[in-house]
Amino acid sequence: MKIKSMTAVFGKLTGQRLALAPGFNLIEAPNEGGKSTWAAFLKAMFYGIDTRDRDKKGYLADKNRYQPWSGAPMEGEITLEWQGRDVTIRRSPKGNTPFGTFEAVYTGTQEPVPGLTGADCGELLLGVGREVFERSAFLGQSGSLAIQSTPELERRIAALVSSGEEDVSYTQAEGRLKEWLNRRKVNKSVGRIPQLEGELAQVRASREELEQLTGALNALAAEERGLRRKKEALEAELSAHKRLAQRDLDRRFTQAKGELDRAQADLDALRKEQARFGPIPHKEELKRAQGELAYLKALEPEIKQGEEALAQAEAELEEARSAARDDRFPGQTVEEAAESVKKAEGEYAAARKNAGTWALMAKLVPVIGVLAAGGMAVLALAQGDGFSFPAVLTGILFLVFTLALGVFNHSQARRSRAWGDQVLDRFSVKTPEELKGVLEDYRARVAAADQAAQQVRLVREGLSDRQARRENSRKDLFDFVHSFAPEVKDLFGCSAALSRALNLGEREAVAHTRLEGAQRLYDALKAQGGRVEEPGAPEPEAPRRTMEETAALLGTAQADLERTGRALSMALGRQKAVGDPAALAARQEELEGELERRSQEYQAISTALTALKEANAQLQERFSPELNRRAGEYLARLTGEKYTSLSLNRELEASAAGAGDVLPRRSLFLSKGTVDQVYLAVRLAVYDLCLREHHVPLILDDALAAFDQERMERALDLLVELSREEQILFFTCQSREGAYLARTPGVERVALDS
């Protein structure tokens, strides 16, 4: 079989295509370039993906690890040559199952390949199952090339030292015998024999328990019968108490019915009495009207006091106005009086000023005349004319004139003073200063009169307000009272009508309350089952205990009966659960027989397991010489003859020995590189023996990473030699393999895009 190409949507691969040659394919890529992903994709296309695998700490299941990074569905295609024809294999999702859909057709057609299915694809194409493939031709990136034994690989190798049949292995046979042995007995508590011993002990204990349960059931049944009789007697006594309670209830019910009838009759009588009047207003309105009536009565003395106060205020006003009248200021206001006083002060001041001026002139004019006459005489004498008559006459006339003028001025001064005195006399004062006192006195008397007038206005307004309120309240009160007592004429009638209405309302409210109370009592007693007492009914006999004592005893008896019933039911249930005595006896006999048979089987299987181990020990002495021989040859070539032989035990643990070594060295004592070379040799030997005939491609993913340069070159030479017959896919992240194989013919170098 040869792989020609692969196309994958798998992990980081998003539809990339990898074309392969028939021989040695050196596939180079750096870390994270997709090498391990291509190798895992190839294995998944052959064997599918285990959907039962789960993530663990430090480990991802393939179904999660290789989910396409792009988010696209996981799918892929491989074209290969098989049995002389090209075959195309496709896998894609089926619902949530990765690679759940499988298709295998001949390339270029839609003709299905017969017998090739998703379940057996790898085993049919490669000739081996997944476990053998992973331990031989598939050297994936795992950090170690070591091999672990599996039943399938063991069967393949066992065929080399037996008849060639691969149906059975020692591990499977040993496991089957141990499984049979464990089914019978693992230790003191696990296995069929301990189970039989335990069940037999339980059956015996159950038979003993049944005997004890029978006695307990008889005792519980007798106790239950006694408790039932006690309960029936207490129930009869409680029934008598209930009849007595019913009698008392009926009696109280009859009394309540009589009280209800009487309350209804009283209410009907009150309503009939009210029918003679108008509809009675609400109690609150009647009380408010009574308040208005009381207010009216309280207003009367207030109005009378107001009238008396008004008369007194008017008298005081008249007295104040009389006191405020002044002939000096007739009908004048205070402001006008002030103007009159101010004017009088001015007139007096002017008169006094004029009198002074006239008095001064009366004194100066005669003096001037005398001086003038004397001056004229002196002037005449100075001129030498003497005292001429004209001059004398002129002087005398001038003197007389000045004297007459002085007399006139003196008269005018006296008249001005008289006028000033007249101004003061009008106000009955002697001096101007007294005028201000007269004005202030007038001002005070006018203010008192004004205050008395203001008081009269206030008293009159208060009286008018009370009189208006009295009239309005009186009208409202009469309108209200006339709505239910139109015959009322005065306030006394209003008071009587209001009292009567309130009395009727209160009596009706009391009657209503009484009726409602009687109705509630009647309804409550009726709800309790009260009936009208029948006259002459016989009196029930009263029990010796109270109803509470009887009820308490009945509750205790009921609880005891229930407890006994539960115990009886549990005993019956336990008896039923334990089983029928005859069936238990039969089961005991059956178990004893089976226990004896299983004990004999246990001894036989133990003997067979011992014999199998002895046979296996003999087989291990000649375990697969061919596998050891071929692996030793490969190891000698890889190590340059340093190690010339190799031996494996059944668990495929390897030991290597050189030409001069006395004892082989276990792989635990070798370096990692040498261990990888040992197990590469083992894998190639297993490949030769198990897969070579099917021409399965060898897949190596960084398998030579731990090899030194010399041993790497030997390994590459060996692989190139094998590639002449088999297809090899060699993935590497290093350049040394490519450098060494650069001129080697038949090597196809492929560089992956990172």
Side-chain angles (χ1 to χ4, degrees), residues 46 82-83 87 89 91 102-106 111-126:
F46 283 141
W82 183 60
Q83 294 181 349
V87 175
I89 299 172
R91 287 187 186 265
F102 176 84
E103 181 184 20
V105 297
Y106 290 110
E111 179 185 353
V113 179
L116 200 58
T117 65
D120 61 7
C121 172
E123 192 160 357
L124 188 60
L125 292 175
L126 306 179

Side-chain angles (χ1 to χ4, degrees), residues 244-297:
L244 284 171
Q246 184 65 45
R247 182 202 63 185
D248 294 339
L249 179 62
D250 292 345
R251 188 168 294 167
R252 287 187 290 125
F253 179 78
T254 303
Q255 293 173 355
K257 186 175 185 307
E259 180 63 23
L260 178 62
D261 294 340
R262 287 190 293 274
Q264 186 65 55
D266 291 344
L267 182 60
D268 292 342
L270 279 173
R271 287 173 176 171
K272 186 176 180 181
E273 182 179 353
Q274 287 180 2
R276 295 188 293 110
F277 306 99
I280 303 299
H282 193 270
K283 178 180 178 180
E284 295 300 325
E285 295 179 348
L286 292 171
K287 286 187 174 294
R288 194 158 45 247
Q290 278 190 331
E292 287 293 324
L293 179 60
Y295 176 67
L296 280 173
K297 291 179 179 179

